[in-house]
Amino acid sequence: HSIGNELLGVFTVGNAVIHFLVVLVIRKKSLADQNLFYLVLGMVFVFITIAVPVQLDGHWVTLLWTGEAALLFWIGRTKNIAVYEKISYALMFLAFISIIQDWQTVYSLYSPTNPETRLTPILNINFLTSCLFVASFLFINILYNNKKYIFVSPSLDFFKPAATFFLPLLLFIVLYFSFIMEISTYWDQLYIDSLKEVPIEGQDYLNRYYNQDIKNFQSIWLINYSLLFFSIFSFVNIKILKNEKIGAIFVFLNSLALFIFLTKGLYCLS
């Protein structure tokens, strides 16, 4: 239905409201044990979560899922409610997948025939979304490692090893690739703009030429950025974090970056 199609998000939120009313009744009347209470409450969050992609698209999905994950993690960790923290982990994963999908679409839309698709480096909505994602995950990581709010919950023991590893990893990945995407897009747009079409005498088609030096500059600056990024984080780990496992990872990443510079980098410079 033409009108109903625009109300799918409202319908989904309506389901969340109905489940929330049931939660209130269960809580007030003490009609069931905590397991049923948290099950129905979980359904509330499920319907709210899926209402986002049902009604919206693009950056709003990523931002709302990220904000919801940070909020639920804060409530779960500070109020000692394990089920909220569990739900937040699922939302973090959804938000991470969502921002990757954003990168795959919004950074490949440029067309010289449509100037509106051109992105201004750093000063664009895509980079702002990445920054807000990084800010949320930085908040989550700080809260996760805050000894004041560490509590013992047997139901969270299963998540601890994965959370300890993946929470900083997701933050690191998004922070690194936020700038990678901006740098790559800047040079890709210059490369597309460098197109020269040369007519061939006696032929009906044109020869298309691009400035290949731009691709070499792109590679050089991606390597420059990677060397700087890994060096800064290595320094932070040595002076502040002092984590041997993270240190070993950065030894590998720095070695890989140096190897790429000595091969691909020097070749581009030559």
Side-chain angles (χ1 to χ4, degrees), residues 72-140:
L72 289 177
F73 184 84
W74 174 74
I75 295 174
R77 183 51 64 109
T78 59
K79 304 300 181 182
N80 290 2
I81 305 176
V83 67
Y84 280 31
E85 187 171 328
K86 292 178 184 178
I87 297 173
S88 71
Y89 290 139
L91 285 168
M92 291 176 204
F93 177 74
L94 288 175
F96 179 68
I97 297 299
S98 181
I99 198 170
I100 291 177
Q101 290 180 332
D102 290 345
W103 288 342
Q104 290 176 338
T105 55
V106 299
Y107 282 110
S108 59
L109 297 177
Y110 176 61
S111 173
T113 58
N114 187 3
E116 294 181 356
T117 59
R118 187 178 187 88
L119 292 178
T120 302
I122 305 300
L123 302 177
N124 60 78
I125 187 64
N126 312 309
F127 186 71
L128 175 60
T129 301
S130 299
C131 288
L132 293 174
F133 185 102
V134 168
S136 295
F137 267 72
L138 181 61
F139 168 76
I140 291 171

Side-chain angles (χ1 to χ4, degrees), residues 234-265:
S234 297
F235 181 80
V236 170
N237 184 58
I238 291 171
K239 293 296 183 180
I240 301 175
L241 301 178
K242 299 179 180 179
N243 187 305
E244 291 186 5
K245 292 182 179 179
I246 294 178
I249 293 174
F250 277 108
V251 167
F252 169 76
L253 292 176
N254 279 295
S255 300
L256 179 62
L258 285 171
F259 175 77
I260 293 175
F261 164 72
L262 293 171
T263 52
K264 174 71 172 179

Side-chain angles (χ1 to χ4, degrees), residues 1-52:
H1 192 277
S2 58
I3 298 177
N5 188 49
E6 300 299 323
L7 300 175
L8 290 175
V10 177
F11 172 76
T12 312
V13 172
N15 277 278
V17 171
I18 292 172
H19 282 77
F20 182 70
L21 294 176
V22 174
V23 166
L24 293 179
V25 173
I26 292 175
R27 184 83 171 193
K28 187 174 182 180
K29 302 287 187 180
S30 299
L31 298 178
D33 62 10
Q34 278 196 329
N35 290 328
L36 180 59
F37 170 77
Y38 285 128
L39 174 63
V40 181
L41 185 61
M43 293 301 296
V44 175
F45 290 118
V46 167
F47 278 114
I48 291 177
T49 301
I50 65 176
V52 176

